[in-house]
Structures are given as structure tokens and as C-alpha cells.
Amino acid sequence: MLNKFFGHFSHDLGIDLGTANTLVYVRGTGLVINEPSVVAVNTKTKQILEIGDAAKKMVGRTPANIVASRPLVDGVVSDFEVTEQMLKYFIHKVHKETFSFLPRPRVVIGLPSGVTEVERKAVEDAAKNAGARQALLIEEPMAAAIGARLPVQEAAGSMIVDIGGGTTEVAVISLGGIVAARSLRIAGDELNEDIIQFARDEYNLLLGERTAEDIKIAIGSAYPLEEKLEAIMRGRDLVTGLPKAISIDSDQIRQAIQKSVNAIVEAVKMTVEETPPELVADIMDKGIYLAGGGALLRGLDKMLSLSTKMPVHVADDPLTSVVRGCGLVLEDIDSLKEVLVSTDYEKSPK
């Protein structure tokens, strides 16, 4: 009886379990956590030292026995135990700020659309072991579309391109289901790798991941800019082993990431080709929506628009589209339950 009474006040959570960042939405409150999906582990003792922001600061700066890494690769759990610990940390971080007698939370988690049944089960189990009473799963492009306020339940086509850290999800949605989709293992991380490779090939310069990401954010673009941007690229000279700084511009970085950007554009075009003509007409009318951190790459909307001959819009606050979608499902779970891919909804307590 008490459990049922307090269930109304339970802080149910929406979680965007991303390759790069984990975001947590609390029902009735909104977005409360946005931290990197990074865990620092002592390899000798197997002890987890830091999670989230504190762990990211350790990347590339740890002694040999401490490894700061991501437990998710390309949006999929690569280390089950560490993912479980990371989820436990985020769930407890929310719950310690609430009353301890409240029931364990119900959790809605966003996953890439291309994951297997085994990978889904791994996330479900990790969430339950981390303290969730019920783990409901939703495909990330569906969550991103809901977060971008697209009419996913109507008999009309909506197209979303969610470019995260590990995966790019392209989906056409109608009547609460995904009609055509592509899940591509090329996204923000791949663009960083392109920049690291470019520095190595062109300047014999070894860059760190964080430096490459900073350069991508500072001057990266998918389409020629009206005004060139410049930045200083700092790393280690592979010939002398000494520190080295090189001045580069946005044109060079655009060339470096062009192959990966073209792969994303091709995935969008192929998804449009697989879409029924009636839904293509709807998308031509409403346009394609971009979500995820990759949506912020300068000129990507313009390049996609020229390639597909359709209008392209960047969703409001694209970085939080997936977690806001998870949150909106939590707020109105009975009318949105058909968008979930989990079978856990019917058999679990309300």
C-alpha cells in the first residue's frame, strides 16, 4: 500500500545512455545530469575511482595502472560491469537528493536502433542491477523525434537524423513506429579520429582525443564557410618527440572530415530512397530534423539540404533531444507506450 502511495512521487528517470555523454531526466523536474560516459578504473584492484566529469579530466593523464575509458562503444555496452556501475552512480546521484524511502525508479533508456536482442538485454539487466525497478527501452531516433516535438503518432512521415558520439541514427517515423532506418557507426568520435589522422599524416603531429574534439568544435564545418576560421593545433612531434603547435584553418579540417560527413549524407539519402512515396511527400513538406551533438557541425544542415533537395532543420537544443524524448515518454507513458521496444512494460508494476 505504502509502495503504491509513494509510487506517485517516485523520481522516475529518462536516461540517454550515450557513447560520449550520459544525460538524465527526472520526471516532473527536467534534465538534472549531463556528464561524460567515462569511468576511471584501477586495473590492479578493479576498483572504480571516478565516474563522469571527474573521470573525463583523467583521460590521457593517468598512470599505467589507472584506465579512464568509455564502457559504451558505438552506443553499445562493451563492458557490462562498468556500465552497471556507471548507471548505479547516476541513479544514486539523483536519488540521494530525494527521500530514501521512495520506491526504486522506473527508467526509460534510449538505445541505437541497430542493436541486437542480446545488447538490449544487457542494458536492461544493467539498469535493474543498478537500482531501477523497471527498465523500459526506446530507440534513440524515436526518442530524438519525440524530444524534437515531431508528430510521431500521426499518420504522416517525420524524418530525424540523430548524430551522437558513436552512432548516427537516421529514421523515418509514422504512426508511432519506424518505417525506414539506418544505424551508422560513423558519428562525432569518427570525426575526431579523422582530425587525429589528418594531423599525423600532414604534420607528423600526435593529437589527443580531447584536442581533436576541441578543434572540431572550434573550426569544424561540413560546408565551405563565408569566413575562414583558424585555430592552433597542439600536440607532440612524432619525429622529435617534442611539443609542437601548428596553425590550421576550417578549410583543412573540412577536408579532413569530408569522408565521414559524406557517409552520413549517403545514409540519409539511402533512407529516403527506402521510404514510401507518400511519406517522402510529408518529409519534403516538413523537412528533415537534425539532433545530437553532430547537428551542431557548421553547415551540415546546408549540405544535407543540397544533397537531398529537402529543407533541413536543427532541433532546438539538439544535444538533449534524446533525453527529453525519454522524459516526455515518462510524463505520458500510457499514451506513448507503443513507441517502446521493451516488453517489460506490461508485466511490470505501474
Side-chain angles (χ1 to χ4, degrees):
M1 184 72 186
L2 268 177
N3 204 45
K4 197 173 181 181
F5 173 75
F6 286 121
H8 296 293
F9 304 99
S10 174
H11 279 200
D12 291 343
L13 310 176
I15 300 177
D16 174 9
L17 195 61
T19 307
N21 295 291
T22 295
L23 293 86
V24 182
Y25 177 106
V26 176
R27 191 179 72 181
T29 305
L31 184 66
V32 293
I33 291 173
N34 181 356
E35 291 194 34
S37 304
V38 180
V39 179
V41 182
N42 185 324
T43 52
K44 285 180 183 171
T45 62
K46 302 293 180 194
Q47 181 192 357
I48 289 175
L49 304 174
E50 295 289 356
I51 294 172
D53 286 325
K56 186 167 186 182
K57 288 173 186 166
M58 295 181 169
V59 172
R61 296 189 170 102
T62 58
N65 65 315
I66 297 172
V67 177
S69 62
R70 295 172 174 178
L72 288 105
V73 176
D74 296 336
V76 172
V77 174
S78 65
D79 190 322
F80 179 82
E81 286 176 15
V82 176
T83 301
E84 191 181 302
Q85 290 300 319
M86 188 174 77
L87 275 171
K88 193 175 283 185
Y89 165 79
F90 290 127
I91 290 171
H92 285 196
K93 192 168 180 178
V94 171
H95 255 244
K96 73 180 180 188
E97 291 159 20
T98 67
F99 298 110
S100 58
F101 56 73
L102 287 179
R104 294 185 304 156
R106 172 159 60 187
V107 176
V108 173
I109 301 178
L111 282 181
S113 58
V115 298
T116 64
E117 199 59 45
V118 173
E119 288 162 344
R120 275 183 200 166
K121 189 85 174 70
V123 173
E124 218 170 86
D125 290 346
K128 285 181 179 175
N129 293 343
R133 81 173 189 273
Q134 188 183 12
L136 305 172
L137 307 180
I138 182 171
E139 289 173 304
E140 276 172 5
M142 179 65 80
I146 294 169
R149 302 282 183 174
L150 298 182
V152 297
Q153 289 176 300
E154 290 179 14
S158 298
M159 189 167 193
I160 189 91
V161 182
D162 176 27
I163 307 162
T167 57
T168 293
E169 306 280 326
V170 186
V172 174
I173 296 165
S174 179
L175 286 169
I178 292 176
V179 179
R182 276 261 187 302
S183 187
L184 193 66
R185 302 280 165 108
I186 293 173
D189 290 348
E190 195 68 27
L191 300 183
N192 297 345
E193 280 300 320
D194 291 341
I195 294 168
I196 290 169
Q197 196 60 48
F198 159 78
R200 184 189 287 266
D201 294 346
E202 294 293 317
Y203 299 106
N204 277 323
L205 188 68
L206 184 64
L207 289 188
E209 264 181 59
R210 286 185 68 181
T211 307
E213 185 168 23
D214 291 344
I215 288 166
K216 177 183 73 181
I217 292 166
I219 65 170
S221 68
Y223 192 81
L225 302 175
E226 287 178 20
E227 203 174 306
K228 260 190 206 177
L229 300 173
E230 292 188 351
I232 302 295
M233 190 162 65
R234 292 182 176 87
R236 189 172 78 231
D237 191 314
L238 286 165
V239 178
T240 66
L242 298 172
K244 182 176 171 183
I246 300 283
S247 178
I248 49 159
D249 62 43
S250 49
D251 286 354
Q252 290 171 286
I253 296 301
R254 191 178 68 257
Q255 290 296 326
I257 64 173
Q258 193 167 29
K259 190 178 173 188
S260 295
V261 169
N262 287 346
I264 292 169
V265 172
E266 274 308 304
V268 174
K269 286 164 75 175
M270 286 166 80
T271 309
V272 170
E273 284 169 20
E274 291 168 9
T275 303
E278 290 84 357
L279 298 183
V280 172
D282 295 334
I283 297 162
M284 286 182 80
D285 187 37
K286 287 190 293 193
I288 298 167
Y289 280 77
L290 301 183
L296 298 172
L297 183 68
R298 295 170 189 84
L300 182 60
D301 52 346
K302 194 170 183 181
M303 188 176 181
L304 269 171
S305 184
L306 286 168
S307 300
T308 59
K309 308 285 190 288
M310 293 188 196
V312 177
H313 316 284
V314 177
D316 294 337
D317 194 9
L319 285 161
T320 65
S321 292
V322 171
V323 78
R324 278 187 289 121
C326 293
L328 287 167
V329 170
L330 272 177
E331 303 284 356
D332 192 11
I333 200 155
D334 289 324
S335 65
L336 283 168
K337 65 176 180 279
E338 75 266 17
V339 304
L340 298 167
V341 292
S342 169
T343 53
D344 203 24
Y345 181 73
E346 296 300 337
K347 65 186 182 191
S348 291
K350 296 282 187 287

